[in-house]
Amino acid sequence: MRPFDLNRALSMWRRAYRFNPAFSARDLDELERHLRDHIRHLHAEGLDLERAFHEAVFDLGDYRTADYEYRKVLWGKMRRLPTDYLDQSLAMLRSYIRLAYRSLRRNKTAAVINLTGLSIAIGVLVVCFVFVNRWFQVERFHTNADRIFVVGHTVERDGDEQKWVNSPLPLGPAMQADLPQVEQAVRFERYSTTVSYVRPDGERVADRQRLVFVDPAFLEVFSYPMVQGETSALTDLNSVVITQTFANKYFGTDDPLGATLDVALTPTLTRSYTVRGVLDRRPQASSIPFDVLLPFQTYDDLLADEADRDAWTQSVTATFLLLRTPEDVDAVAAQMDRYLALHNAVASEWIYTAFTFDNLRDLWRIVQDVRGEIAFAPPTQIFILITVISLLLLTLACFNYVNVALSTTQRRLIEIGIRKTLGGEKRHLVVQFLTENVVLCFLALVLGVMLAQAFLLPGFNALTGTALVIDYWGSTQLWWFLGAALVVVAMASGMYPAFHIARFEPIAILRDRQRLGHTSWLTRSLLTGQFVLAFITMFASIALVQNAQYQAQQDWGYDKEHLLMVPLEEARHYGPLAERLQQNPNVLQVAGTRHNFGENWGWATLDVDGIQMESVRFDVGTNYLAAMNVRLREGRMFEPDRQETNGVVVNEALVRARGWTAPIGQTFRVDGALYTVVGVLEDFHFFAFRHTIRPAFLRLIDEAAYTTLVLRTRPGTAVQTYDALAETWASFHPDVPFNGYFQDTVFDAYFAGNRRTVNVFAATATLTLFLSVMGLFGLAAQNVARRKREIGIRKVLGAHLLQVLGLVNRSFLVMIVVAFAIAAPLAYTGLGHLLDAFYAFRMPIGPDPFVAAFALIALAALATIATQFRAIAHANPADVLRAE
Amino acid sequence: MFSKPLVAASLEPLMLSLLSEGEMYGYQIIQRVKALSDGNLVWNASKLYPLLHKLENKGLVTAVWQMSTDGPNRKYYRLTTKGEAALAQHQQEWRAYNAILVQLWGPNLLPTD
């Protein structure tokens, strides 16, 4: 016989209690301690261990009493203590999750439909979040972000107040000197020019770059991470600080620090700068683009007249102020009157009405409404559009969930009935169904994030030309968002079905009197609603595609074909180049210009009989209008042999704006100079079709100001001429690459933007249709499954399969027609507004998008319903009827 | 020795009184009661511990675990301020009750020390 082992005996004793939930592990510890104390006591009195053990266990009392007493305490505790209640709840939760898993497995079709729909919707939501959140985080990485303000000003133009973010050149230094609240003032001036670098192997890298002249404190006020070099780098007048992106492009793997960059400051002045620092501009977190930073002193040097360096008439792109505290902004704003006076005293053409202050973090929000080129951000409509789209898809997915949940309940009625009979309360059932839904939503969330990472975000980037990434660990916002999304989606989709299902009376269920699903008005209206949305998005994308085609075929108001443009390095090259090219038989016309339609223009404030108005200004060469083939309405164009002193040509928009009935001979002043209208041109498009045609006037300039050479080529010889031109160019500038292009490409960026809009809509329409069709599929499948008996009987009585299919699904077809009837008028008005919001020149909405959308969606719906054909065909009436 | 209803009624005041002497663990309490009653009152562990837990839940006593070298740790119970107040309440009641009995049975009931 084995000797008595106390520890073993105790663990045997403990085993009897271990799985009794009334005893916690700590309770058992305490009891065991008691036993041990008692045993030791008895052992000390002379009993052997084994007898002592049995005696002690006997004294402890019997199992049932202990169980009863402990249980009483436990129940008492459950009423009071949330922590222990949590234990119990967790056990329940485990059971719910197990049930959820089983029910999902049992109902695979429904699970797949819900999972796919919800995960796509959540994936889109994640993309939306990443897109929107990027902008809400913009510029926040600067340590001083809350204290950095940009100074702007307002002016009154055409009776409206305009806001500009540029400011007078001397303002920054003056404020820093005068106002104690201003810790630092940093001027910021944009400049775009060619920057070149000669690699050690002799190869020359050159490209146009976004240059910025900044005061040296820029690097200290802002917190761009320095990859190399110090924040004091710009104090040296010959130093340059570049961005990481620029460094990668120009230097590759070479060390950029200490390298020499050649900057073409003007056509005749190129200066060398030494790279003293490389910074990470954090393009994902910033709205202020630049490639190269140069000391502001250089800009001062560029100003021709030394007096301009502190002239209030000169302006810089932006002045940033670093204030001592964010609240100082009011105090600073209150002291601006003296600067207003200083500026307005010398700039009578451009009277400031006030200075404005905007925090750095808000810059992206205001850039759409202010003029200036400091920061760039997508227009507000895009944010609204993308948010609406993602919420729309989410709604659709939730509709699917509700519909499928309601229609599958039929199968679970018995389960519900039995649960209720066995004492399951309504709230338990609600919790059970909601848990099932949370489990499903959680799976969908995981899948959705994976989808977003793998397909949706790359797709979105490709469609819209962005470079967004999901930053999982960089911030907690994403996780908060996902958590909130889980709760909201689970509640939005699960609440109604859960309460609806939990409401049934067991007696009705078990007596088979409860019927639901196929008659539910909710199911019907949700499905109809889905198809309404599918129709609307489909209309919209078809209409946008058509509109894009319509715009591509629009007349630009001049002959854009066969026009070859050559940007000139220097104006003095125009003469010899033009002379050489005129000898080419394929060249019909040669002209020079400074501004070119669709590409660049100037602005001018016209003074017409004392009334100020804004107008676009084109500075052109003599032959430009003839070469462009602009149509003349009245008067004359510029003539080569006439010495034009103050004659200008205007467009019809300007004539309309002024209400001139006899425009020829009318006069206006610009900056004091008097101009006389000699000709009126038919309106032509110089902005793309998004904007109306603004009033514009064209004036003649000297050959010395030409920046572009214009060639009209003989039709069909474009390529030959281009090549010939490139050769001619090479003989003039062996170093500079030939940059000629055709005029019909100047709106390419606009059309590309258009295509992106169309793409976003088309993707939305596809996803919407997909989700709706999935919902329809789910309902149709459930419907067939539920009506097996009816189908069986109909088949026995000799009904044709197609007939059965039609009969069973008639209600769905009705819903689609109803959806179309609701969607069509909504879409018609909505589309008009949408197109108006996007485009000043848009196509009239015809019947085509409606016909096309209806055909497409009806076809998709029919195909979906037809998938049930197999289920019906394979249903053996004998089986169905016998099963009953 | 003692009738069941009496034991049940005196359980809580007796327990609180014991713990007012200082920190104790379960086995110790049983031994102490046994000693006080000359072995006439022996508490059953399977009732004692649930009672202690009940008092703990009510907030009248609090417990600390102390490390033990052999076997499980030992759980010591101690009176809380709320427990002291409850004990005072009990004492007041029992004294009043005792006064009634003394009037009826004579002062012999009082302890003879």
Side-chain angles (χ1 to χ4, degrees):
Chain A
M1 207 181 125
R2 282 167 66 174
F4 178 73
D5 177 351
L6 181 63
N7 286 331
R8 192 162 172 274
L10 280 168
S11 86
M12 293 290 283
W13 164 84
R14 219 177 141 132
R15 189 174 295 172
Y17 293 85
R18 194 186 302 155
F19 297 108
N20 186 334
F23 299 91
S24 72
R26 304 205 114 187
D27 289 341
L28 292 180
D29 280 351
E30 190 178 32
L31 284 175
E32 188 183 332
R33 182 75 261 161
H34 177 96
L35 278 179
R36 283 178 184 272
D37 288 340
H38 199 175
I39 292 165
R40 186 186 302 144
H41 196 143
L42 293 172
H43 190 56
E45 283 177 357
L47 261 76
D48 67 67
L49 271 181
E50 189 169 3
R51 282 209 49 200
F53 169 76
H54 288 298
E55 192 105 330
V57 170
F58 179 81
D59 276 355
L60 196 64
D62 62 315
Y63 182 88
R64 278 178 58 191
T65 319
D67 176 59
Y68 177 70
E69 295 291 339
Y70 269 91
R71 213 165 267 273
K72 268 203 313 205
V73 178
L74 185 71
W75 283 112
K77 198 153 65 171
M78 284 220 352
R79 255 177 258 129
R80 272 188 303 271
L81 282 180
T83 44
D84 277 276
Y85 185 68
L86 202 68
D87 279 349
Q88 294 283 310
S89 306
L90 281 178
M92 289 299 277
L93 195 65
R94 262 203 302 278
S95 143
Y96 285 147
I97 290 176
R98 195 176 305 135
L99 278 170
Y101 170 70
R102 286 179 189 157
S103 118
L104 289 181
R105 266 184 45 157
R106 206 170 36 236
N107 217 330
K108 287 206 186 73
T109 325
V112 167
I113 288 174
N114 285 331
L115 263 185
T116 326
L118 283 174
S119 53
I120 289 177
I122 290 176
V124 172
L125 197 67
V126 168
V127 172
C128 167
F129 171 78
V130 170
F131 178 78
V132 175
N133 191 48
R134 168 203 187 305
W135 287 101
F136 276 95
Q137 299 311 314
V138 143
E139 309 298 354
R140 280 173 196 262
F141 68 92
H142 299 292
T143 323
N144 299 326
D146 58 332
R147 295 195 288 137
I148 302 176
F149 290 83
V150 61
V151 189
H153 66 264
T154 51
V155 292
E156 219 176 271
R157 274 285 165 279
D158 301 338
D160 290 326
E161 190 174 72
Q162 287 179 0
K163 186 169 170 183
W164 294 72
V165 281
N166 59 351
S167 46
L169 180 66
L171 180 68
M175 288 181 78
Q176 188 173 345
D178 299 346
L179 306 179
Q181 293 93 342
V182 178
E183 195 175 311
Q184 279 290 354
V186 177
R187 288 167 299 174
F188 181 101
E189 171 70 15
R190 280 193 184 287
Y191 201 71
S192 171
T193 191
T194 308
V195 177
S196 51
Y197 168 62
V198 182
R199 290 203 171 129
D201 58 12
E203 195 193 336
R204 184 165 168 271
V205 199
D207 209 349
R208 261 191 122 67
Q209 297 295 337
R210 291 168 298 190
L211 239 66
V212 177
F213 299 110
V214 287
D215 283 319
F218 180 84
L219 293 175
E220 271 147 24
V221 170
F222 291 86
S223 316
Y224 293 107
M226 295 297 290
V227 182
Q228 280 179 291
E230 299 299 322
T231 51
S232 59
L234 284 173
T235 41
D236 177 1
L237 288 185
N238 293 315
S239 62
V240 56
V241 170
I242 58 178
T243 61
Q244 182 81 67
T245 331
F246 179 94
N248 292 343
K249 186 177 163 195
Y250 273 65
F251 299 102
T253 51
D254 298 347
D255 183 12
L257 226 52
T260 305
L261 288 179
D262 296 324
V263 181
L265 292 172
T266 67
T268 50
L269 172 68
T270 298
R271 259 199 222 165
S272 296
Y273 291 88
T274 312
V275 178
R276 292 268 178 249
V278 178
L279 59 77
D280 177 5
R281 190 172 69 76
R282 307 200 48 187
Q284 285 296 312
S286 162
S287 61
I288 306 175
F290 59 84
D291 305 307
V292 176
L293 297 177
L294 286 177
F296 199 83
Q297 181 79 45
T298 311
Y299 177 67
D300 276 346
D301 294 348
L302 277 180
L303 294 172
D305 193 346
E306 200 138 325
D308 281 345
R309 290 183 196 173
D310 40 42
W312 285 81
T313 42
Q314 288 291 325
S315 87
V316 289
T317 313
T319 303
F320 290 102
L321 300 177
L322 176 65
L323 301 184
R324 300 213 183 266
T325 70
E327 294 75 32
D328 282 342
V329 65
D330 295 330
V332 171
Q335 302 176 65
M336 295 305 285
D337 282 351
R338 52 177 134 168
Y339 305 117
L340 215 55
L342 272 173
H343 173 268
N344 290 346
V346 289
S348 55
E349 293 285 315
W350 195 259
I351 299 291
Y352 286 8
T353 47
F355 279 105
T356 60
F357 297 87
D358 287 287
N359 187 271
L360 177 67
R361 292 168 302 184
D362 302 327
L363 212 50
W364 69 274
R365 256 184 278 238
I366 61 162
V367 289
Q368 294 305 319
D369 306 321
V370 303
R371 291 158 197 243
E373 34 193 38
I374 166 75
F376 299 90
T380 327
Q381 291 98 312
I382 297 288
F383 290 100
I384 297 173
L385 185 71
I386 288 185
T387 312
V388 166
I389 287 174
S390 55
L391 291 181
L392 180 97
L393 290 176
L394 198 62
T395 314
L396 287 183
C398 289
F399 280 8
N400 272 356
Y401 182 86
V402 173
N403 275 343
V404 174
L406 288 181
S407 70
T408 48
T409 322
Q410 192 78 32
R411 297 193 185 177
R412 304 185 62 175
L413 279 179
I414 306 279
E415 176 194 339
I416 298 163
I418 290 175
R419 273 181 176 274
K420 281 206 154 183
T421 318
L422 293 181
E425 285 175 36
K426 186 176 159 185
R427 69 190 165 95
H428 292 148
L429 282 166
V430 169
V431 171
Q432 187 197 328
F433 286 120
L434 280 182
T435 315
E436 259 176 46
N437 190 27
V438 169
V439 170
L440 185 95
C441 287
F442 181 74
L443 287 178
L445 194 76
V446 174
L447 276 175
V449 172
M450 282 158 64
L451 263 181
Q453 174 74 55
F455 302 108
L456 295 173
L457 197 60
F460 181 80
N461 283 338
L463 283 186
T464 60
T466 48
L468 298 173
V469 287
I470 304 180
D471 180 11
Y472 293 101
W473 313 117
S475 66
T476 49
Q477 279 124 348
L478 179 70
W479 297 102
W480 281 109
F481 175 76
L482 289 178
L486 177 66
V487 173
V488 169
V489 172
M491 290 302 132
S493 59
M495 216 44 142
Y496 179 77
F499 277 97
H500 181 71
I501 293 164
R503 215 171 43 211
F504 299 137
E505 290 303 322
I507 190 82
I509 296 173
L510 297 177
R511 280 196 181 155
D512 203 13
R513 285 201 187 135
Q514 190 81 48
R515 282 271 172 260
L516 58 128
H518 59 298
T519 52
S520 162
W521 62 269
L522 186 78
T523 308
R524 281 187 191 171
S525 32
L526 289 188
L527 190 71
T528 313
Q530 282 189 325
F531 274 91
V532 168
L533 294 177
F535 272 121
I536 291 179
T537 49
M538 194 58 78
F539 290 145
S541 42
I542 293 175
L544 282 171
V545 171
Q546 278 192 321
N547 187 57
Q549 285 170 349
Y550 168 84
Q551 291 187 346
Q553 288 158 5
Q554 278 288 298
D555 181 11
W556 290 12
Y558 57 91
D559 185 4
K560 65 180 192 293
E561 311 290 335
H562 319 301
L563 274 176
L564 195 47
M565 303 308 208
V566 189
L568 294 168
E569 282 288 296
E570 285 175 48
R572 64 184 168 87
H573 293 151
Y574 173 75
L577 255 178
E579 202 173 311
R580 179 85 69 85
L581 289 166
Q582 245 144 7
Q583 291 157 13
N584 187 328
N586 291 332
V587 173
L588 298 179
Q589 245 161 339
V590 181
T593 185
R594 178 171 172 206
H595 292 137
N596 181 30
F597 300 163
E599 261 199 312
N600 44 25
W601 50 83
W603 289 93
T605 309
L606 308 192
D607 184 334
V608 193
D609 308 329
I611 302 162
Q612 308 250 306
M613 70 171 282
E614 241 188 32
S615 164
V616 172
R617 186 193 81 227
F618 287 101
D619 295 344
V620 299
T622 323
N623 283 329
Y624 181 71
L625 293 179
M628 296 303 274
N629 228 340
V630 192
R631 294 186 286 270
L632 188 68
R633 168 123 277 173
E634 48 184 306
R636 61 173 177 84
M637 296 204 198
F638 301 123
E639 284 160 13
D641 304 324
R642 188 193 290 260
Q643 202 58 40
E644 204 78 65
T645 46
N646 62 355
V648 291
V649 174
V650 301
N651 70 351
E652 285 177 299
L654 194 140
V655 174
R656 272 197 306 276
R658 286 271 52 90
W660 287 330
T661 44
I664 305 297
Q666 298 278 1
T667 58
F668 56 81
R669 280 179 187 282
V670 176
D671 291 337
L674 186 76
Y675 291 99
T676 310
V677 177
V678 300
V680 178
L681 300 177
E682 270 184 35
D683 275 341
F684 54 95
H685 288 277
F686 45 88
F687 295 156
F689 303 102
R690 188 163 293 157
H691 305 285
T692 50
I693 295 175
R694 293 288 202 99
F697 75 94
L698 300 90
R699 67 175 189 193
L700 212 53
I701 48 159
D702 288 341
E703 206 174 294
Y706 289 177
T707 58
T708 309
L709 183 139
V710 182
L711 287 185
R712 179 162 288 284
T713 63
R714 194 178 296 283
T717 62
V719 180
Q720 282 157 263
T721 318
Y722 186 90
D723 293 344
L725 185 54
E727 250 171 64
T728 317
W729 177 268
S731 64
F732 276 81
H733 308 281
D735 300 344
V736 186
F738 175 59
N739 281 327
Y741 57 91
F742 290 99
Q743 175 71 12
D744 56 5
T745 60
V746 295
F747 285 164
D748 278 5
Y750 164 78
F751 284 118
N754 241 356
R755 242 186 330 271
R756 286 200 283 270
T757 314
V758 171
N759 285 343
V760 168
F761 268 87
T764 312
T766 313
L767 286 177
T768 311
L769 182 61
F770 180 67
L771 286 179
S772 310
V773 163
M774 291 254 296
L776 177 64
F777 175 78
L779 286 182
Q782 301 293 344
N783 186 36
V784 167
R786 196 172 45 228
R787 292 168 75 174
K788 266 197 180 135
R789 197 167 10 171
E790 178 196 341
I791 295 168
I793 292 172
R794 284 186 190 278
K795 279 171 78 174
V796 170
L797 294 179
H800 191 271
L801 282 181
L802 278 175
Q803 241 175 335
V804 178
L805 188 70
L807 264 173
V808 171
N809 294 302
R810 197 167 44 195
S811 60
F812 295 130
L813 297 177
V814 172
M815 281 178 225
I816 286 165
V817 174
V818 170
F820 178 76
I822 297 173
L826 279 179
Y828 184 78
T829 41
L831 265 183
H833 289 300
L834 182 82
L835 288 176
D836 284 341
F838 279 154
Y839 308 107
F841 296 90
R842 53 113 168 160
M843 61 153 199
I845 303 169
D848 331 6
F850 296 93
V851 175
F854 183 74
L856 202 66
I857 290 179
L859 208 68
L862 283 177
T864 309
I865 288 171
T867 55
Q868 296 312 307
F869 186 78
R870 197 169 164 273
I872 293 176
H874 281 248
N876 183 351
D879 290 343
V880 178
L881 296 173
R882 202 183 296 140
E884 297 287 329
Chain B
M1 191 65 204
F2 295 104
S3 70
K4 249 188 171 176
L6 181 61
V7 171
S10 59
L11 215 51
E12 187 175 311
L14 191 47
M15 183 74 79
L16 294 177
S17 311
L18 287 166
L19 288 177
S20 72
E21 293 177 354
E23 260 185 18
M24 273 192 237
Y25 57 94
Y27 184 73
Q28 203 181 354
I29 292 172
I30 291 177
Q31 296 303 317
R32 175 87 181 116
V33 169
K34 208 167 153 186
L36 280 171
S37 64
D38 291 334
N40 286 328
L41 185 57
V42 182
W43 276 349
N44 194 324
S46 60
K47 291 201 172 167
L48 171 87
Y49 288 112
L51 173 69
L52 280 168
H53 296 169
K54 212 160 79 186
L55 294 178
E56 198 183 349
N57 292 344
K58 278 186 180 171
L60 301 183
V61 304
T62 169
V64 281
W65 289 86
Q66 282 190 4
M67 293 285 284
S68 164
T69 44
D70 69 315
N73 293 338
R74 188 165 274 147
K75 194 178 181 186
Y76 279 86
Y77 294 88
R78 187 196 313 150
L79 220 54
T80 62
T81 24
K82 203 173 157 194
E84 279 162 13
L87 176 60
Q89 173 79 21
H90 279 300
Q91 281 171 339
Q92 200 186 339
E93 278 176 26
W94 280 79
R95 290 221 169 89
Y97 213 91
N98 191 26
I100 298 171
L101 292 179
V102 166
Q103 283 178 47
L104 293 173
W105 297 342
N108 279 354
L109 201 77
L110 288 172
T112 49
D113 57 1

